[in-house]
Amino acid sequence: MKKFLSLVVSLIILSNVTSAKEGMWLPMLLKSLNEGDMQSMGLKLSADDIYSINQSSLKDAIVSFGGFCTGEIISDKGLILTNHHCGYGQIQSHSSVENDYLTNGYWAMNHSQELKNPGLTATFIVRMEDVTAKILEGIDSELKESERQGEIRKRINNLVEETTKDSDYGAYIRPFFYGNEYYMFVTETFNDVRLVGAPPSAIGKFGGDTDNWMWPRHTGDFSLFRIYADKDNKPAEYSEDNVPYTPKHYLPISMSGIKKGDFTMVYGFPGRTQEYLTSYAIQQIKEVINPDQIAIRAKALKIMDKHMKASDKVRIQYASKYARISNYWKKWIGENGGLQKANAISLKQDRETAFLKATKGMKEYEGLLNEIEKRYLAIEKYALARSYFVEIPYRKMEMLRLANRFTSIINQTKKGEEIDEKTWTALKEKVALHLKNFDLNLDLEISAALIESYKEGMAPEFVPSIIKSKATSLKFYKLYTAKSVFVSEDKINGLLNNWSKGKAKKVEKDPVYKLMKQFWNLYAKEVRPAYNAISNEIDSLSKIYVKGLRENVPGTYYPDANSTLRLAYGQVDDYEPRDGVQYDYFTNTEGILEKYDSENVDFNLPGRLVELIEKKDFGKYADEDGSLHVCFTASNHTTGGNSGSPVINGNGELIGLNFDRNWEGTMSDINYDIDQCRNISVDIRYVLFVVDKYANAGHLVDEMKLVKTVAPVKVAMEK
Ligand code: ARG
Ligand code: ASP
């Protein structure tokens, strides 16, 4: 009986492998790993309809947007839908106090009004290939790890080179499961991507940082771009002669509505997850790294907020930077809360216990976990120093950051080398961008405050001597930087205009440059080498750990996100965040009015939207319940980079636009929990309503293909 029971139990565990909703799956493996499961959950398509290299498939409608978000093609004229927060940098760069598209939105009423965005790209995946054998086969197992890595790198470079020579395509190869497997992605990148439309921030960012990472949500987080190509439909630099791109596939848009339990999939470019971390790693993130990073950002945000509220110019200059800093500040708070509540450390310990039990007596795994633990103890000091360096001088002291941009031309000049045109142009662009979005008083105050945090939090050997013995205050930092060229726009431009050996020497003596050098050198000498060495060891050990888990411990194993194309699937679903609290799976426009507060920038609304909502003037975008749905939650495993990803139903039609996760669920990057983790999307009908009814840009909706598979049963009557 006992034997029989344990057989049943292990069958149940093993069968779990194929019925999971957790995971970000590789499109080319859907056929072998997920197709049956997906179809049993409601997918009406085949794996080939989602990913194929022989016929057009859903993948041909998905782009990596700028390398940091996802976008999808929704018309036969290359129209891209992505998030407002993904296009935010572009919307901001076209904005000024006079033409404030952040506040008012922007809608191109014809192709000639679509705005170019130098540097912005849209990248398709042409195909992917398992190249594990080519990369790993025959590598001498006796090789030292560093030599092994060297050999692997060489093979990767050769294979990429071989694949892309004489071709218009690009390619990259990434390790999966810590280097147990390798896949190659062949890409086609377009670099004429124009801004077509963006709602006012009061719609696209409604709820602001208050609602960010939270449910219930009412954000119309979308913007529209368009890919332009040359006459042969090939990528080309911006030119007036370019024409809208004709895609191999574009997503039809479902007007049928969404019900709890509906099958959903999210197709996109998730950035980074670490699902196979050990308990030691989780503990370090939760108890050492996150708390300090949260405190540093809280301090910076408070100062930024003060300056932004005091000046419209500063508000626009820092809008994008503020949003970026605030985003992960809040995410880490949620992540720590989720890890605590889920008892994540003990869950990982359970996995370690199962690992030890399953691999008992196997030489390869003996002592492995102890070795990993040792490395985490050793890396802690460097990991913390690294995050202080990144969070403080590297990212938030903007004058230092600018000074650092001069390092390489100074070195070249001193060596008597010629500086090429390209380097100059790049530097000038960076400097111009810095000056456009820079406020001296804000930077002085943040820098002074964060130097203080740095000195409090860092071991003395990581503190630059210039600030070590000084009582650091705003007064100190102002005085210290007063004579620097980096406090003055004129002086900076003067530097660029007639550069010389003398200038190079002068900058080297500049106080801001000197402080920057000390920070950067300390990091390069005292932190980075040790951090990288231990971190590489952890990766090598993790490779063995993950292999051991996959081969010996039943479970669902999917590769961590690494900015490559993935498909997550699940269903429209609600959740219970706390005892006694049950959230609905969708919101509607009534909630927008409930939150409306003209005194609070996060919840202010354009009068026109209030009017449309009050009149219930929703047109064909209303749900069959008569209301206009705004956002919904589903159990798709997503992460940063999935923003802008399409949420697709079982017929391959677009039902929503992914943009966020619930706060309790942000831990999903390191500990996914099917009961707690939800992705948050805008209902596609709300997007279309804003484009059509709010912005009167119905010509854009006319470009799209709207489909309705189920006739509405009943339409609620309005009096
Ligand atoms: N939390 C979402 C993501 O990680 C949205 C961020 C943008 N919104 C904001 N209020 N900062 O990207
Ligand atoms: N908001 C995130 C993004 O920009 C998505 C997430 O982390 O859930 O990619």
Side-chain angles (χ1 to χ4, degrees):
M1 186 62 188
K2 243 194 185 156
K3 251 197 194 142
F4 172 74
L5 269 184
S6 84
L7 184 71
V8 170
V9 169
S10 60
L11 276 179
I12 291 172
I13 294 174
L14 283 170
S15 68
N16 261 339
V17 175
T18 54
S19 72
K21 283 130 216 111
E22 170 176 358
M24 303 166 170
W25 303 92
L26 278 167
M28 68 173 275
L29 298 182
L30 292 173
K31 198 166 196 74
S32 55
L33 295 180
N34 317 88
E35 189 180 51
D37 186 31
M38 291 167 76
Q39 288 172 343
S40 76
M41 289 175 64
L43 175 69
K44 301 285 189 297
L45 309 175
S46 69
D48 283 338
D49 297 325
I50 298 172
Y51 173 87
S52 170
I53 51 172
N54 303 316
Q55 63 187 56
S56 71
S57 59
L58 294 186
K59 86 154 170 40
D60 299 316
I62 315 296
V63 292
S64 164
F65 183 84
F68 50 84
C69 275
T70 303
E72 53 276 6
I73 311 290
I74 53 168
S75 88
D76 61 359
K77 295 188 189 62
L79 192 62
I80 300 180
L81 178 65
T82 189
N83 289 141
H84 184 261
H85 80 262
C86 294
Y88 203 63
Q90 279 71 37
I91 303 165
Q92 183 209 358
S93 80
H94 294 295
S95 296
S96 59
V97 175
E98 299 76 43
N99 277 323
D100 186 351
Y101 302 145
L102 285 177
T103 303
N104 305 318
Y106 180 79
W107 304 96
M109 286 301 162
N110 53 52
H111 288 176
S112 72
Q113 289 177 359
E114 299 179 353
L115 305 172
K116 66 174 168 176
N117 301 289
L120 181 64
T121 54
T123 299
F124 291 91
I125 300 301
V126 178
R127 63 185 171 86
M128 56 180 294
E129 186 184 330
D130 181 352
V131 294
T132 311
K134 288 181 186 162
I135 301 301
L136 296 182
E137 207 154 70
I139 291 189
D140 186 352
S141 58
E142 301 298 298
L143 279 186
K144 275 212 324 238
E145 185 59 21
S146 60
E147 290 167 353
R148 226 179 78 86
Q149 289 304 332
E151 176 63 25
I152 289 176
R153 227 170 301 130
K154 208 166 81 198
R155 291 186 184 189
I156 287 180
N157 292 340
N158 289 344
L159 189 52
V160 166
E161 163 89 34
E162 199 180 291
T163 309
T164 53
K165 74 164 189 274
D166 310 322
S167 127
D168 299 332
Y169 295 148
Y172 49 83
I173 294 172
R174 298 267 162 83
F176 288 70
F177 293 113
Y178 291 92
N180 282 301
E181 294 170 13
Y182 286 83
Y183 288 84
M184 176 162 72
F185 297 80
V186 177
T187 58
E188 183 171 39
T189 297
F190 288 82
N191 32 26
D192 184 356
V193 180
R194 303 186 197 170
L195 175 64
V196 174
S201 294
I203 292 176
K205 221 189 147 182
F206 183 72
D209 293 309
T210 315
D211 272 7
N212 191 22
W213 300 115
M214 311 270 248
W215 183 256
R217 200 60 164 278
H218 299 86
T219 316
D221 194 347
F222 78 94
S223 60
L224 292 162
F225 286 78
R226 191 187 304 282
I227 299 179
Y228 279 76
D230 69 14
K231 294 205 173 58
D232 303 319
N233 209 32
K234 285 282 170 204
E237 291 302 323
Y238 171 85
S239 151
E240 281 187 17
D241 298 334
N242 286 350
V243 291
Y245 169 69
T246 307
K248 291 194 200 72
H249 182 71
Y250 63 95
L251 298 178
I253 292 173
S254 167
M255 295 292 283
S256 309
I258 296 156
K259 291 267 173 313
K260 184 174 166 178
D262 283 355
F263 176 81
T264 54
M265 49 192 176
V266 171
Y267 212 172
F269 292 86
R272 180 170 141 97
T273 60
Q274 299 171 281
E275 307 293 345
Y276 304 105
L277 289 182
T278 53
S279 53
Y280 333 114
I282 302 283
Q283 180 158 8
Q284 190 163 94
I285 292 173
K286 177 170 173 276
E287 281 155 28
V288 181
I289 306 292
N290 279 355
D292 284 24
Q293 293 189 157
I294 291 167
I296 291 168
R297 288 199 175 194
K299 207 165 172 184
L301 287 167
K302 204 167 153 202
I303 297 169
M304 286 175 97
D305 186 55
K306 185 179 82 186
H307 288 266
M308 288 167 75
K309 284 209 172 106
S311 146
D312 266 353
K313 181 163 174 243
V314 178
R315 174 181 60 79
I316 292 174
Q317 285 178 317
Y318 281 83
S320 195
K321 294 178 200 171
Y322 186 94
R324 204 172 329 123
I325 296 170
S326 150
N327 194 32
Y328 267 60
W329 162 73
K330 195 162 176 187
K331 189 213 152 183
W332 291 322
I333 298 175
E335 181 171 276
N336 265 18
L339 293 173
Q340 175 70 27
K341 189 178 156 207
N343 252 320
I345 295 176
S346 95
L347 289 177
K348 304 286 174 179
Q349 281 164 347
D350 292 348
R351 183 159 74 190
E352 285 147 25
T353 309
F355 172 84
L356 287 175
K357 213 166 138 204
T359 58
K360 201 164 169 192
M362 298 182 188
K363 197 103 194 78
E364 194 181 356
Y365 304 112
E366 218 168 85
L368 180 72
L369 287 172
N370 290 337
E371 290 301 316
I372 296 181
E373 182 176 20
K374 263 196 237 159
R375 299 306 186 290
Y376 274 99
L377 288 173
I379 206 172
E380 184 162 301
K381 174 174 163 191
Y382 301 105
L384 194 65
R386 181 174 180 266
S387 80
Y388 268 76
F389 173 73
V390 171
E391 286 298 319
I392 296 178
Y394 185 72
R395 289 226 186 108
K396 301 209 182 54
M397 296 174 70
E398 296 185 272
M399 281 197 279
L400 264 58
R401 208 180 156 82
L402 179 66
N404 178 47
R405 298 206 183 278
F406 284 79
T407 304
S408 65
I409 64 161
I410 289 175
N411 292 341
Q412 277 181 284
T413 309
K414 275 171 41 194
K415 278 191 243 155
E417 288 171 12
E418 196 64 44
I419 293 161
D420 62 33
E421 206 40 47
K422 225 174 124 193
T423 310
W424 265 121
T425 321
L427 179 65
K428 283 183 177 161
E429 274 170 17
K430 294 284 186 216
V431 171
L433 192 67
H434 165 91
L435 291 172
K436 181 168 181 253
N437 291 331
F438 178 74
D439 181 75
L440 179 62
N441 286 325
L442 185 153
D443 188 56
L444 288 171
E445 199 174 333
I446 289 197
S447 299
L450 294 190
I451 286 177
E452 200 185 14
S453 304
Y454 190 94
K455 285 169 67 177
E456 274 166 23
M458 272 298 86
E461 68 258 41
F462 299 138
V463 180
S465 66
I466 295 176
I467 54 171
K468 204 175 214 163
S469 54
K470 302 274 188 335
T472 34
S473 61
L474 180 55
K475 201 170 144 213
F476 158 81
Y477 195 63
K478 252 188 190 162
L479 217 76
Y480 178 77
T481 55
K483 293 221 168 64
S484 167
V485 296
F486 297 103
V487 299
S488 145
E489 184 160 345
D490 288 347
K491 284 189 196 162
I492 296 170
N493 285 327
L495 264 189
L496 290 173
N497 286 341
N498 34 45
W499 183 251
S500 63
K501 215 168 194 157
K503 289 254 168 88
K505 290 209 171 117
K506 199 175 142 209
V507 177
E508 275 193 303
K509 294 203 194 91
D510 186 280
V512 167
Y513 190 84
K514 270 161 68 184
L515 180 58
M516 181 279 292
K517 267 283 153 215
Q518 287 200 352
F519 268 119
W520 263 245
N521 283 342
L522 275 171
Y523 178 69
K525 295 203 179 94
E526 307 296 329
V527 182
R528 194 172 51 202
Y531 177 87
N532 284 351
I534 307 171
S535 161
N536 288 340
E537 286 172 16
I538 291 177
D539 282 350
S540 306
L541 296 168
S542 303
K543 178 181 173 216
I544 305 173
Y545 179 51
V546 169
K547 176 169 172 275
L549 282 172
R550 290 173 79 196
E551 287 174 4
N552 302 291
V553 181
T556 308
Y557 296 106
Y558 51 90
D560 275 322
N562 56 2
S563 296
T564 60
L565 184 64
R566 301 295 178 88
L567 188 96
Y569 59 97
Q571 56 190 14
V572 174
D573 207 355
D574 51 20
Y575 71 107
E576 193 185 308
R578 291 178 292 284
D579 182 34
V581 180
Q582 177 73 41
Y583 280 140
D584 235 333
Y585 68 92
F586 75 90
T587 57
N588 66 27
T589 51
E590 274 168 38
I592 296 184
L593 295 186
E594 274 171 21
K595 286 179 178 173
Y596 175 36
D597 176 359
S598 60
E599 303 288 298
N600 181 342
V601 283
D602 282 354
F603 297 101
N604 201 358
L605 285 172
R608 184 172 160 69
L609 184 71
V610 178
E611 227 171 82
L612 287 168
I613 295 177
E614 280 176 344
K615 282 203 303 224
K616 296 198 195 291
D617 188 358
F618 305 140
K620 60 183 173 201
Y621 307 109
D623 187 78
E624 62 180 53
D625 70 10
S627 78
L628 179 62
H629 291 202
V630 180
C631 292
F632 66 93
T633 53
S635 56
N636 294 295
H637 192 173
T638 54
T639 187
N642 267 129
S643 272
S645 296
V647 189
I648 303 171
N649 68 13
N651 301 322
E653 301 150 0
L654 187 64
I655 55 174
L657 177 62
N658 185 74
F659 70 98
D660 211 1
R661 280 171 284 164
N662 62 326
W663 215 16
E664 303 82 2
T666 54
M667 65 167 167
S668 65
D669 293 344
I670 47 185
N671 183 60
Y672 187 84
D673 179 340
I674 189 74
D675 290 329
Q676 284 299 303
C677 298
R678 295 289 174 267
N679 63 312
I680 301 177
S681 309
V682 208
D683 192 304
I684 197 65
R685 295 168 297 174
Y686 183 63
V687 171
L688 298 190
F689 161 83
V690 172
V691 173
D692 186 356
K693 300 289 266 183
Y694 173 81
N696 288 323
H699 62 284
L700 294 171
V701 177
D702 294 341
E703 259 187 78
M704 306 171 196
K705 185 165 138 198
L706 310 193
V707 292
K708 192 153 194 164
T709 35
V710 200
V713 186
K714 54 177 190 290
V715 177
M717 298 293 290
E718 292 304 336
K719 296 236 170 71

